[in-house]
Amino acid sequence: MTWVYFLKAKSEVFGIFKKFKAFVEKQSGKQIKVLRSDSGKEYTSCEFDKFCEDEGIERQLTVAYTPQQNGVRKKKSHNHGDGKINAKRERYA
């Protein structure tokens, strides 16, 4: 599954992530273990970091201008046969 959230401002990311986390975990019965994002300010606030630490979510920040780091996700999607759906579900397993 793919979820898309339209934001008016980058400052909405943290609040939307908390809602997304609650929804996904309730629907799947599993917890988010890893969150990979770029190093943008909307993802690196002290509040966001503390929330992830308290929830036991490992943070993986990618380095700017390194598309190679995105390749890991694409390779996983490609190798599972069902595409992105399996790769995304695997992240919550």
Side-chain angles (χ1 to χ4, degrees):
M1 294 185 170
T2 300
W3 295 271
V4 177
Y5 292 86
F6 295 99
L7 308 175
K8 291 181 182 179
K10 289 183 178 183
S11 60
E12 296 178 284
V13 168
F14 180 54
I16 296 295
F17 175 75
K18 290 194 298 186
K19 290 177 184 177
F20 169 77
K21 178 185 177 302
F23 172 76
V24 168
E25 291 180 349
K26 185 175 182 180
Q27 293 294 315
S28 69
K30 300 180 188 247
Q31 293 184 323
I32 295 174
K33 294 181 179 181
V34 178
L35 174 63
R36 179 179 291 174
S37 61
D38 64 21
S39 299
K41 292 179 184 175
E42 65 271 21
Y43 301 109
T44 58
S45 69
C46 291
E47 186 179 28
F48 206 143
D49 288 340
K50 180 160 178 21
F51 176 79
C52 289
E53 184 179 324
D54 292 346
E55 296 293 317
I57 300 172
E58 177 188 341
R59 298 293 310 274
Q60 294 181 353
L61 299 176
T62 60
V63 179
Y65 307 109
T66 54
Q68 300 87 343
Q69 291 183 340
N70 295 333
V72 173
R73 174 61 139 215
K74 289 179 184 174
K75 287 178 187 173
K76 269 189 176 178
S77 296
H78 180 70
N79 290 337
H80 280 79
D82 288 342
K84 293 180 183 177
I85 295 172
N86 276 346
K88 288 186 179 183
R89 283 188 183 154
E90 180 179 79
R91 303 295 280 171
Y92 307 110

